[in-house]
Amino acid sequence: MRCAYYCVGDIYDIDSVANFLREEGRELKFHDNVYDNVIHILKENEEGHSGDAFIFPYGCAIFWGLEVEEEHQILEKLHPYVGHPLTVPTHDQSTFHYGNTTAIEEEDDEIVLESDDLFIHTIEKTCYLPEELAKKGKTSMSRKKLSKMIGALFSERNSINLHNDILDTPEFFWRRPRYEHYYLMASEYMDITTRLDILNRRLDVIHELYEILSSELNHRHSSRLELTIILLILIEVVVVLRNEVLKFL
């Protein structure tokens, strides 16, 4: 799929752009959302989510999964809100696809994105567990399922901290050091280190929850073993007593 980047001027008047999209969005079948002084335009069709556009206050726009005509249509409609527009906008593009992890294949000029936001999915899958523990005092999850979830959690943490190229300077910049400062500027602007720390803290909370559940399941298993042993001892005592009684008959 297509990913395109445009720099059209010095600034975008974000407030005016947001007001315009709220008024004209229904005509374009777009929904808009403003956060961190960036506008996100979500494009939908009959099949659901089909593309995204991000409008930045410093005169740039980035499009994911849209056609060239759709990109130009948006840029043309937002042109009145550009400050000091460039005579010829700066433009670049690449392709992207979904895979198992996020990475940049610089030789092919392609971006690989995770097929799902696995970390959010992990958080959503576990949000009911504390409530269940609070209400019932136990969990309905099996040991096998819990072990799978713990394994998946460690897999996600390894993916974030060990196998993700964006957490370190990619090899692309080792071979092209003159571009490295742009990457470092972008990394600092996006607070990559801070975001990683926050994400790891969230995963730590999930890990603590899994440890509690694991302890609870281990305790339940130990209790079952103790009851089984007691039952076996009781059966053995009954059998011995029966045999002793039969001797006197």
Side-chain angles (χ1 to χ4, degrees):
M1 290 178 283
R2 174 183 169 86
C3 180
Y5 337 99
Y6 296 85
C7 179
V8 297
D10 287 350
I11 61 170
Y12 265 118
D13 186 342
I14 291 296
D15 292 335
S16 298
V17 170
N19 291 333
F20 170 77
L21 290 173
R22 291 190 182 101
E23 295 174 357
E24 302 295 329
R26 294 184 181 275
E27 177 185 347
L28 297 174
K29 298 182 180 179
F30 287 162
H31 302 282
D32 66 281
N33 181 31
V34 181
Y35 54 92
D36 292 338
N37 209 27
V38 177
I39 295 180
H40 174 204
I41 305 172
L42 173 64
K43 184 176 183 293
E44 295 181 333
N45 56 24
E46 296 179 353
E47 298 177 354
H49 180 206
S50 63
D52 300 90
F54 295 88
I55 311 300
F56 294 87
Y58 41 80
C60 294
I62 299 180
F63 301 93
W64 296 81
L66 299 182
E67 300 294 334
V68 178
E69 294 77 10
E70 294 175 312
E71 298 168 0
H72 290 173
Q73 184 183 33
I74 295 174
L75 291 174
E76 184 177 348
K77 285 184 173 291
L78 300 185
H79 183 72
Y81 310 107
V82 179
H84 303 97
L86 298 175
T87 304
V88 180
T90 302
H91 166 256
D92 198 1
Q93 67 181 54
S94 64
T95 58
F96 73 95
H97 69 273
Y98 293 102
N100 295 325
T101 186
T102 300
I104 299 175
E105 298 177 356
E106 62 272 6
E107 300 300 335
D108 297 326
D109 201 15
E110 188 165 38
I111 301 171
V112 182
L113 301 174
E114 286 183 321
S115 56
D116 290 308
D117 196 331
L118 299 176
F119 314 119
I120 293 179
H121 182 60
T122 300
I123 293 172
E124 290 177 346
K125 280 200 310 183
T126 58
C127 64
Y128 76 94
L129 293 174
E131 296 179 3
E132 186 179 45
L133 281 175
K135 291 180 180 179
K136 300 180 180 180
K138 61 180 181 179
T139 178
S140 58
M141 185 183 300
S142 66
R143 291 172 60 86
K144 183 177 181 180
K145 184 177 180 181
L146 179 60
S147 297
K148 287 183 177 181
M149 294 180 73
I150 293 175
L153 178 64
F154 277 106
S155 176
E156 297 304 330
R157 298 195 69 164
N158 287 339
S159 175
I160 296 172
N161 296 284
L162 300 178
H163 305 302
N164 207 320
D165 291 339
I166 65 173
L167 301 181
D168 196 3
T169 304
E171 294 183 6
F172 174 87
F173 299 104
W174 298 356
R175 299 190 296 272
R176 302 168 182 85
R178 65 183 182 277
Y179 298 123
E180 183 176 357
H181 71 283
Y182 293 113
Y183 173 81
L184 296 176
M185 288 171 57
S187 178
E188 182 179 0
Y189 177 79
M190 296 175 67
D191 293 327
I192 296 296
T193 302
T194 302
R195 292 173 186 269
L196 174 64
D197 183 57
I198 293 173
L199 184 57
N200 273 316
R201 289 181 184 179
R202 291 180 177 178
L203 294 178
D204 283 339
V205 172
I206 297 176
H207 180 62
E208 291 176 7
L209 174 61
Y210 285 169
E211 286 186 335
I212 293 173
L213 294 176
S214 180
S215 298
E216 195 266 337
L217 290 175
N218 287 334
H219 175 70
R220 189 190 306 175
H221 182 66
S222 298
S223 298
R224 288 174 180 170
L225 288 177
E226 290 175 1
L227 288 174
T228 301
I229 293 172
I230 292 173
L231 181 60
L232 291 174
I233 293 175
L234 180 61
I235 293 173
E236 183 179 4
V237 170
V238 171
V239 171
V240 171
L241 289 175
R242 177 179 174 276
N243 292 335
E244 292 295 326
V245 170
L246 290 175
K247 289 181 181 179
F248 296 99
L249 296 178

